[in-house]
Amino acid sequence: MEQELKGQFDEFEKPEIIRRKLLPWWIKIFCWIFMLMSVGAIASLITNLFVPNVNLSLYGFSTNTAYSGIGLFIIAVMLLKGFARLLALV
């Protein structure tokens, strides 16, 4: 009986589609931009250890230090967006 059911539903099986191929080219470009922005956020944390002023700005929020409340908020948003876009490309 198991063989009969398997044979009846074989026609409904579809080939596996890779999600990355479904995205348009402009969305792929924006995904790369946001991923590079998240790398820049990590770099700003490291740079602020050696340089006292690191200018960060995103969505109207701006700060001169990465280790302030606003600075950590901006870096967290950049990392979140970069991680989400990374998952979109996988």
Side-chain angles (χ1 to χ4, degrees):
M1 176 141 181
E2 183 69 33
Q3 292 176 350
E4 293 174 9
L5 292 176
K6 194 174 189 180
Q8 291 176 355
F9 293 108
D10 283 342
E11 64 188 48
F12 295 115
E13 291 183 16
K14 295 181 181 179
E16 197 171 306
I17 298 173
I18 299 173
R19 286 180 53 195
R20 188 180 311 129
K21 291 183 180 179
L22 296 174
L23 293 173
W25 63 270
W26 59 274
I27 291 179
K28 291 179 187 177
I29 290 173
F30 277 103
C31 287
W32 280 102
I33 289 170
F34 282 112
M35 286 189 295
L36 290 174
M37 232 171 61
S38 66
V39 170
I42 294 170
S44 71
L45 283 174
I46 296 169
T47 303
N48 200 22
L49 291 173
F50 304 107
V51 179
N53 289 333
V54 176
N55 294 325
L56 295 171
S57 178
L58 182 70
Y59 299 136
F61 296 104
S62 62
T63 184
N64 290 332
T65 59
Y67 293 108
S68 65
I70 295 174
L72 292 175
F73 172 74
I74 292 171
I75 290 171
V77 169
M78 286 182 187
L79 290 174
L80 178 70
K81 287 181 160 293
F83 184 70
R85 295 327 186 254
L86 179 66
L87 291 179
L89 287 179
V90 173

